[in-house]
């Protein structure tokens, strides 16, 4: 392979960082020296605010306060408080976001509740390229509630809408390619067909602007361990448009979604608002970690994050094109309006490429069958990181390091 010269110098990349409004934010994170971390779209880096907060919650609230901390530390209100901090990142009112279960469990509840708002319609439309858990959960929901799944063409999801469709359930940014759907346009198309628009925001929240209220969307779900840096397995959020909340009937009707949990009534009566998404006791430690992690977003607008993210992905695409254009196919859309915050490269030995890069300190991930995926979390990834990552990629390819036998051994998590 012959690589050509980079289109920018490292000095120019450093100058871009020096002029960035996010300059200095990286210091809010614990990042190991010598690592270029391009996997914040899988697991965000650790904000420095998390460990002290968790120590305090463990020692003072749990250790010393014991059960009284449900009241004195307002553990009961933690989900609502954390939801209110996520709300501005997705264009929602503070009171309309609930945080509590995993994304998969949340999807089960929202798919069922959304479908129940369109009685007489039996179809949930999904794109076949959606994240597998969305499809698996939708299949489980359809079996349990006698609904039908319909796969749409990701190039034209609206073509699958009809008067039998209850819910159009799409993933805003595709986990494999990084392609982004037109959320307002497809929401309108769903409504024109009488269906609800349900959005999975896992790969958007914290890096890509989403205006749920302005788009008049119906339901959204997103994880918090990627660009929100909530930590491994941190709880997901759900947003329900206020017009749907009075009739919102989610299927896991546990006591924490009851209007009066400690009334211990024998029958269920849901609390008002999105809080009825709750089922059981909230994960206080995980919510506390997420609460602390969200400090890194204080004072930063989502538009600033988006501009920084686009600048990083533009640079990565330009450098890969210039230096390795004959080796990798960039499968992420080049048009800014169609791209999330990741860039995916297709290569026959993509797994080996990712492993060889990790050995050189550049962390991305692999998605089967042939995609090397790189996420650009704008709060802590710099233009200099992008420059260095592409230099390492060139070295891997030139040295044919990706073909080494050791890098063919598949780990459980890729
Ligand atoms: C789009 C999307 N939905 C859902 C999930 C995962 O769901 P859970 O948080 O339940 O593991 C992911 C994980 O990467 C994802 O990318």
């Amino acid at each position: 392979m012959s690589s050509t010269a980079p289109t920018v110098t490292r000095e120019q990349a450093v100058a871009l960082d020096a002029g960035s409004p996010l300059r200095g934010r990286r210091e809010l994170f614990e990042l190991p020296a010598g690592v270029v971390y391009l996997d914040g779209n899988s697991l965000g880096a650790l904000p420095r605010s998390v460990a002290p907060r968790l120590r305090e919650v463990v020692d003072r609230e749990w250790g010393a306060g014991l059960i009284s901390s449900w009241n004195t530390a307002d553990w009961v209100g933690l989900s609502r408080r954390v939801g209110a901090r996520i709300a501005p990142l997705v264009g929602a009112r503070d009171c309309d976001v609930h945080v509590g279960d995993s994304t998969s469990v949340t999807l089960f509840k929202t798919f069922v509740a959304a479908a129940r708002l369109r009685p007489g319609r039996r179809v949930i439309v999904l794109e076949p390229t959606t994240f597998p858990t969305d499809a698996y959960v939708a299949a489980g929901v359809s079996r349990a509630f006698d609904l039908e799944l319909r796969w749409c063409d990701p190039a034209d999801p609206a073509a699958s809408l009809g008067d039998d469709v209850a819910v159009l359930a799409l993933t805003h940014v595709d986990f494999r390619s990084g392609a982004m759907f037109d959320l307002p346009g497809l929401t309108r198309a769903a409504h024109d067909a009488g269906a609800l628009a349900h959005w999975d925001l896992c790969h958007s929240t914290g890096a890509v602007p989403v205006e749920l209220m302005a788009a008049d969307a119906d339901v959204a779900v997103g994880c918090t361990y990627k660009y929100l840096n909530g930590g491994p397995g941190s709880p997901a959020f759900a947003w329900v448009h206020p017009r749907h909340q009075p009739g919102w009937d989610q299927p896991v009707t546990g006591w924490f979604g009851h209007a009066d949990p400690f009334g211990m009534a024998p029958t269920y009566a849901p609390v008002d608002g999105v809080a009825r998404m709750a089922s059981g006791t909230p994960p206080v430690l995980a919510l506390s970690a997420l609460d602390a992690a969200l400090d890194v977003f204080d004072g930063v607008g989502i538009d600033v994050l988006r501009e920084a993210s686009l600048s990083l992905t533009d640079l990565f695409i330009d450098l890969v094109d210039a230096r390795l254009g004959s080796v990798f196919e960039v499968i992420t859309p080049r048009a800014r309006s169609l791209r999330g915050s990741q860039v995916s490269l297709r290569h026959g030995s993509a797994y080996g490429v990712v492993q060889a890069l990790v050995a050189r300190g550049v962390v991305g991930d692999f998605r089967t069958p042939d995609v090397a995926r790189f996420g650009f979390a704008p709060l802590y990834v710099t233009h200099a990181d992008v420059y260095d990552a592409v230099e390492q990629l060139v070295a891997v390819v030139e040295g044919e390091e990706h073909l080494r036998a050791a890098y063919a051994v598949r780990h459980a998590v890729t």
Side-chain angles (χ1 to χ4, degrees), residues 364-397:
D365 60 21
F366 165 80
R367 286 296 175 263
T368 194
D370 56 5
V371 172
R373 193 177 76 151
F374 302 95
F376 297 84
L379 285 169
Y380 54 81
V381 175
T382 63
H383 295 84
D385 284 340
V386 171
Y387 185 94
D388 293 342
V390 177
E391 287 299 298
Q392 297 296 341
L393 192 53
V394 170
V396 164
V397 173

Side-chain angles (χ1 to χ4, degrees), residues 102-104 107 131 133-134 171 175 200 202-203 223 225-226:
S102 71
T103 318
S104 302
L107 287 169
F131 190 81
T133 210
D134 299 55
T171 296
F175 79 100
D200 179 332
C202 283
H203 284 274
C223 71
Y225 45 76
K226 301 183 193 293

Side-chain angles (χ1 to χ4, degrees), residues 124-136 138 149-158 160 168-171 174-177 181 368:
I124 300 178
V125 174
L126 301 168
E127 80 274 29
T129 45
T130 192
F131 190 81
T133 210
D134 299 55
Y136 303 160
L149 293 193
R150 179 178 299 158
W151 299 115
C152 66
D153 176 357
D156 186 10
S160 295
L168 174 64
L170 299 175
T171 296
D174 185 271
F175 79 100
R176 195 178 274 114
S177 69
F181 279 129
T368 194

Side-chain angles (χ1 to χ4, degrees), residues 1-6 318-325 390-391 394 398:
M1 111 99 272
S2 64
S3 71
T4 48
D318 286 352
L319 287 171
V320 169
D321 278 348
R323 309 218 63 202
L324 298 159
V390 177
E391 287 299 298
V394 170
E398 283 183 345

